[in-house]
Amino acid sequence: MSNEQKYLSESEFDALVRELIASGKRVVAPVAAEDDLEPQADYRAVSDPAKIVLDGPLPRRSLKEFFLPATEALLRWRLKKGDVALDETEADYPETVVVGASPCDAAALPTVDRVMDWDYRDEPWFGRREATVVISRACPGRDSSCFCPVVGLAPDSTRGADVMLYPSGEDAGGYLVEVITERGAALVAAHSKHFQAPREPAGVARLREEARARVDGNSSARPDEIRRWLDKNFEHELWDRLAERCHGCGACAAVCPTCHCFDIVDEPEGGDSGTRRRNWDTCQAAVFTLHGSGHNPRETQNARFRQRVLHKFAIYPERFGEILCTGCGRCVRACPGGMDLPEILEELGRLATSSQSAGGTP
Amino acid sequence: MSEATATRTPPAVDAFEPKIIAFVCNWCTYTGADLAGTSRLQMAPNVRIIRLPCTGRIDPLFIVKAFERGADGVIVSGCHPGDCHYTAGNFHARRRFAVAREIMGFLGIDLDRVTFSWVSASEGGKWSEVVNETTARVRKLGPFNTYRDLVAGS
Amino acid sequence: MQELVDLTSKLLQNGDVNVVIGYEEGPRGVRPVVAATPDDCRRLIFDHRAVHNLATYLSPRRKHLRVRGRAAVVLKGCDAAAVATLLRERQLKRDDVVLIGVRCGGVYRTTTAEGALSADNVADRCGGCALREPTLVDHLVGDLPPEPPTAGQRAARIAALEELSPAERFDYWRRSLADCVRCNACRAVCPLCVCERCVADKTDPQWIESSPHLRGNFSWHMARALHLAGRCVDCGECQRACPAGIPLTVINGKVGQVMGARFGFRPTDDPDAPAPIGTFDPDDSQEFIR
């Protein structure tokens, strides 16, 4: 670790959050889900540091809604005597500090940046990206649905984070702080009184090791091999049966930190005005590819699920050099039909290995 | 309020005047409302009528759409049971309205904003009462912009 | 459950069906499986974790399953009630499917629950269930387990909401529905959302705004509840699928109460029982109509 380091005690953490809120910044952090029978967490804008639960369950939806809201107005139109007047909606990019991002959520941000800055620069996305500082907290390694090592990440990955907090492992709590980016350094400098001189608490290394051990064995899939296999096997018989239990509900895409597809809709309000909005969409819905003619090139759920796997593990890597998945496992946990991406990746890995050995030297 | 006082003291410009949408069937209530008019019965001018073939054609979503577009109250009215021009349209509608009404109430829409009534072609007087009562009730509740403006900020 | 394995293997071997839709132990809990060989059938299980309503796989919308041919499906009583509704609405032909009922002692509310069934982990619909031995079946397997406990949380929440003023209830749902992202998972998993084209997908005219802002969300959730009134079998799949944790079964439960109180309706696995919406009684209560 060659980055600048600090130490942040539990009480100074609270004081820092209070100071951020008082300075008019929006602080987004995991909090216990209101009104739910099971223990759940959500990322929410908070007004009180006491509400923040950094050691709770993984928030059920990722951070993406703070950068790509589920719905946002792009412009308003008014009909005026045969003419149309367009009103741009005012940019709303509040200064935000995310406190306690899961590393798998933070890592998704630079990945999605690639497509958002591809054929045009997506202003709302980058408007919010640039207004946001991400403070991640090293993950304890959640459960058997986690597969971040498969996509080259780990419970303590700093990708996408501006500042990283490592729990001290001490009874009194507190964090080892690693400053990752200039934006992170600026935030730490601006609130320097809360940070103490660097020291590495004894528990940090142990916790990081334990976290890695918790998820490392979950899958042995190799995305590079899988991608080579995917490139050649669009019509493989595996796809005919793969998604039989899948409902096509798209809950996976809603909770996914990297799924970013959207739909543009015009919503009329009365006869002569309305709003153009962009809303989340998902390739798992039949209407996603339904043509006006009635033809649907992805007629069945099997074809739609193949698209999900291909986009994440072949198409996006081909175009942008990155896998469109951070291994957070939310799609597995959210799926009402038991679709299991790490299991599917294992299966694809087996097929890739056997086709490689079949095509290799006798 | 007599006609003379109504013309002499128009309401203050900023006074709240509820906007009420009435979904009525063609055969009974619309004709009843017409009778109210030709009989020169005095009625609150707050109600805009939308005529449909039958209460059976009135999807509860119409009520929701009216609120979406800024209505403060809604009237749904048609033929008395047994009088339906299509024999049973209002019997079917009655079941749907009963459920829709309770769902709306459960989700927090004040049911005093919605009036359901049976008004026959001969009941011009009843129609004017329904209109006046609903208008008075909704005026007391105040505007329902809360529903229209649910979209704000997103 | 050996009885289930033997029965389904025989059905496949005899050529009675092409596939069996049942439950298996997945890598992370119980999940649905489509078994196509007697060997696959050895994986079939049934226990308190068999939360899923497999009747949803019989919906005509599941084109990728229809191509597999004639199916047998494993059903709890509540799931059989969904099949009855599909039959009543001519969405399914009785001869196209083999129904395997399982005597049921209740299921958990979530697939991740553990331990003995209790008031805290049992599904809302289980307490007082009248369909523990489904009758709409071709085969009935298992011994009848003891009656499940009753979960009280949902009824308590409905009652608490009814105590509130309309404005307070509106605020409650405003907070709750604000999280809806309109992924339509509730619709996709529902065994009875069978429309080829949903009213919520129509744009001209657009009755339901498709955007996940609160106004569109209220409209959608009202329409969903209304279109399922007297059809919903309270399987709770919509809530289980919801990535936003919206208490959809609270709405469904309220609608169920209304249908029961007004029209004497309870979910039933009798496909010939009349549907409460689409039929009427000339003497229906009309206390709300002036």
Side-chain angles (χ1 to χ4, degrees):
Chain A
M1 213 187 279
S2 59
N3 291 317
E4 188 192 354
Q5 291 187 21
K6 296 277 184 192
Y7 178 81
L8 181 64
S9 74
E10 205 68 36
S11 57
E12 288 301 326
F13 173 86
D14 283 4
L16 170 66
V17 171
R18 264 194 297 273
E19 189 169 285
L20 289 167
I21 294 168
S23 71
K25 290 199 168 67
R26 177 174 70 156
V27 171
V28 171
V31 301
E34 205 186 318
D35 191 42
D36 204 276
L37 295 169
E38 319 300 328
Q40 297 270 16
D42 291 313
Y43 288 115
R44 301 267 186 212
V46 293
S47 52
D48 176 7
K51 287 266 164 69
I52 300 177
V53 184
L54 286 190
D55 52 1
L58 183 68
R60 50 190 159 186
R61 277 170 293 147
S62 79
L63 273 178
K64 79 175 165 198
E65 65 200 52
F66 295 96
F67 303 92
L68 180 69
T71 183
E72 74 181 303
L74 298 178
L75 57 86
R76 289 181 55 75
W77 82 81
R78 283 171 292 127
L79 294 182
K80 271 170 109 185
K81 284 191 184 150
D83 201 11
V84 184
L86 300 181
D87 306 323
E88 297 252 357
T89 48
E90 236 170 84
D92 174 28
Y93 313 140
E95 290 286 319
T96 300
V97 181
V98 178
V99 176
S102 185
C104 45
D105 290 331
L109 301 172
T111 298
V112 178
D113 281 348
R114 303 296 304 276
V115 68
M116 291 295 182
D117 194 18
W118 170 46
D119 49 352
Y120 69 97
R121 190 170 169 84
D122 192 288
E123 284 179 30
W125 171 270
F126 285 105
R128 296 190 181 99
R129 282 283 279 140
E130 280 150 20
T132 305
V133 182
V134 178
I135 303 177
S136 291
R137 174 192 185 273
C139 168
R142 304 283 174 183
D143 57 31
S144 72
S145 297
C146 291
F147 59 103
C148 56
V150 169
V151 296
L153 296 168
D156 53 1
S157 290
T158 58
R159 182 179 156 82
D162 297 303
V163 176
M164 188 80 177
L165 304 180
Y166 301 92
S168 69
E170 290 165 354
D171 289 343
Y175 303 92
L176 170 68
V177 181
E178 185 187 359
V179 180
I180 312 292
T181 65
E182 279 174 27
R183 204 182 293 173
L187 181 122
V188 170
H191 301 276
S192 57
K193 67 175 184 212
H194 301 294
F195 296 90
Q196 289 163 269
R199 67 181 179 92
E200 176 131 8
V204 170
R206 175 178 53 84
L207 287 176
R208 294 176 69 177
E209 243 167 70
E210 282 173 7
R212 283 174 180 253
R214 239 170 244 134
V215 297
D216 266 346
N218 284 356
S219 173
S220 57
R222 295 272 313 275
D224 46 346
E225 286 177 8
I226 290 172
R227 185 179 152 194
R228 276 197 293 278
W229 186 88
L230 290 174
D231 285 344
K232 293 189 209 110
N233 287 285
F234 187 77
E235 302 282 4
H236 194 277
E237 61 183 14
L238 170 89
W239 306 117
D240 299 340
R241 301 276 162 89
L242 190 63
E244 286 183 321
R245 63 169 60 84
C246 173
H247 297 290
C249 75
C252 47
V255 296
C256 177
T258 61
C259 274
H260 54 266
C261 285
F262 53 79
D263 185 23
I264 306 272
V265 299
D266 285 349
E267 281 187 349
E269 286 168 6
D272 52 5
S273 69
T275 305
R276 173 163 295 179
R277 304 184 149 268
R278 79 162 162 190
N279 301 331
W280 287 1
D281 203 353
T282 166
C283 58
Q284 296 310 290
V287 291
F288 188 76
T289 46
L290 182 63
H291 294 184
S293 67
H295 172 65
N296 194 340
R298 293 183 206 139
E299 181 76 44
T300 69
Q301 198 52 41
N302 290 319
R304 296 192 274 272
F305 195 80
R306 173 176 61 193
Q307 168 64 21
R308 181 170 170 81
V309 175
L310 283 175
H311 193 198
K312 292 195 173 298
F313 294 93
I315 299 167
Y316 204 86
E318 182 185 328
R319 189 158 286 160
F320 300 115
E322 286 175 21
I323 297 167
L324 192 65
C325 172
T326 64
C328 70
R330 281 194 185 84
C331 53
V332 185
R333 298 181 198 99
C335 183
M339 292 295 288
D340 194 303
L341 192 53
E343 179 195 28
I344 289 162
L345 292 175
E346 290 276 327
E347 173 68 17
L348 291 171
R350 268 194 297 278
L351 286 167
T353 313
S354 64
S355 73
Q356 228 170 19
S357 54
T361 47
Chain B
M1 178 161 54
S2 76
E3 199 179 354
T5 43
T7 45
R8 221 173 289 143
T9 51
V13 271
D14 56 349
F16 166 62
E17 277 304 321
K19 208 182 290 172
I20 295 166
I21 303 297
F23 298 102
V24 305
C25 94
N26 176 50
W27 303 99
C28 295
T29 301
Y30 189 79
T31 317
D34 199 29
L35 177 64
T38 49
S39 311
R40 308 211 163 226
L41 296 177
Q42 278 303 305
M43 271 181 288
N46 303 58
V47 173
R48 281 84 159 162
I49 290 184
I50 296 177
R51 177 168 61 146
L52 292 128
C54 175
T55 41
R57 176 61 187 89
I58 301 172
D59 190 314
L61 281 178
F62 292 6
I63 304 172
V64 178
K65 187 58 86 183
F67 287 138
E68 279 185 5
R69 292 286 162 84
D72 303 302
V74 173
I75 297 170
V76 176
S77 185
C79 307
H80 285 268
D83 290 355
C84 180
H85 188 77
Y86 308 100
T87 316
N90 54 0
F91 285 130
H92 288 290
R94 184 169 62 184
R95 283 204 162 189
R96 284 209 301 272
F97 295 156
V99 189
R101 186 176 164 278
E102 298 214 38
I103 294 173
M104 286 179 190
F106 190 63
L107 292 186
I109 293 178
D110 195 324
L111 293 178
D112 276 347
R113 293 190 182 277
V114 191
T115 303
F116 294 89
S117 63
W118 304 135
V119 172
S120 79
S122 63
E123 291 177 317
K126 183 174 178 187
W127 174 251
S128 76
E129 284 167 22
V130 166
V131 164
N132 288 334
E133 283 168 17
T134 307
T135 307
R137 217 171 50 227
V138 174
R139 182 179 286 121
K140 221 160 89 189
L141 288 171
F144 198 30
N145 292 346
T146 4
Y147 198 88
R148 186 192 64 196
D149 297 340
L150 279 175
V151 71
S154 53
Chain C
M1 194 189 256
Q2 195 55 41
E3 193 184 354
L4 184 62
V5 173
D6 293 342
L7 170 67
T8 51
S9 305
K10 212 163 72 190
L11 287 172
L12 283 170
Q13 268 161 351
N14 294 350
D16 292 336
V17 296
N18 302 92
V19 289
V20 178
I21 302 169
Y23 301 94
E24 71 168 2
E25 184 80 56
R28 276 157 275 275
V30 167
R31 66 178 182 182
V33 64
V34 180
T37 66
D39 203 33
D40 292 343
C41 289
R42 290 214 299 261
R43 302 213 300 269
L44 295 179
I45 58 164
F46 184 85
D47 59 38
H48 294 321
R49 298 170 300 162
V51 171
H52 324 63
N53 184 346
L54 302 184
T56 197
Y57 292 108
L58 300 177
S59 153
R61 286 188 291 120
R62 311 287 166 139
K63 294 196 180 82
H64 63 309
L65 278 170
R66 293 293 75 74
V67 298
R68 298 297 299 273
R70 194 161 191 252
V73 60
V74 178
L75 299 169
K76 306 183 290 293
C78 45
D79 310 335
V83 175
T85 309
L86 291 173
L87 292 169
R88 183 181 304 128
E89 298 176 355
R90 312 289 186 271
Q91 297 296 322
L92 181 70
K93 290 202 183 82
R94 185 66 184 84
D95 292 341
D96 287 352
V97 64
V98 172
L99 305 176
I100 304 172
V102 189
R103 293 187 181 88
C104 177
V107 293
Y108 297 133
R109 192 170 51 237
T110 65
T111 49
T112 48
E114 288 170 357
L117 270 191
S118 71
D120 291 329
N121 64 20
V122 71
D124 292 312
R125 64 187 179 282
C126 292
C129 176
L131 298 169
R132 300 203 297 125
E133 280 188 286
T135 53
L136 177 64
V137 292
D138 298 302
H139 307 274
L140 189 59
V141 299
D143 302 319
L144 188 64
E147 271 189 43
T150 299
Q153 298 98 326
R154 176 173 66 168
R157 191 175 303 180
I158 293 174
L161 281 167
E162 283 171 338
E163 288 291 306
L164 301 176
S165 71
E168 290 167 328
R169 265 201 305 277
F170 196 55
D171 276 345
Y172 170 85
W173 289 110
R174 239 198 312 211
R175 282 199 307 279
S176 181
L177 298 182
D179 280 348
C180 174
V181 294
R182 301 291 286 285
C183 62
N184 294 322
C186 47
R187 178 178 81 186
V189 297
C190 178
L192 297 172
C193 269
V194 291
C195 292
E196 267 299 315
R197 192 164 174 221
C198 176
V199 63
D201 286 341
K202 289 185 181 168
T203 51
D204 191 17
Q206 185 181 57
W207 281 107
I208 298 173
E209 291 172 306
S210 59
S211 303
H213 49 60
L214 264 175
R215 201 174 60 191
N217 294 353
F218 263 87
S219 187
W220 161 243
H221 288 285
M222 267 187 258
R224 197 191 72 85
L226 195 61
H227 289 187
L228 285 163
R231 306 173 63 239
C232 173
V233 296
D234 201 21
C235 66
E237 289 291 82
C238 47
Q239 179 164 325
R240 203 168 61 78
C242 179
I246 296 168
L248 293 167
T249 56
V250 169
I251 303 178
N252 299 346
K254 170 65 187 174
V255 178
Q257 287 178 0
V258 173
M259 300 312 289
R262 284 192 171 270
F263 312 123
F265 170 76
R266 278 195 87 171
T268 166
D269 65 348
D270 174 7
D272 297 321
I277 299 291
T279 58
F280 63 86
D281 181 337
D283 297 325
D284 278 335
S285 154
Q286 53 173 19
E287 83 295 344
F288 64 98
I289 304 177
R290 192 185 183 286

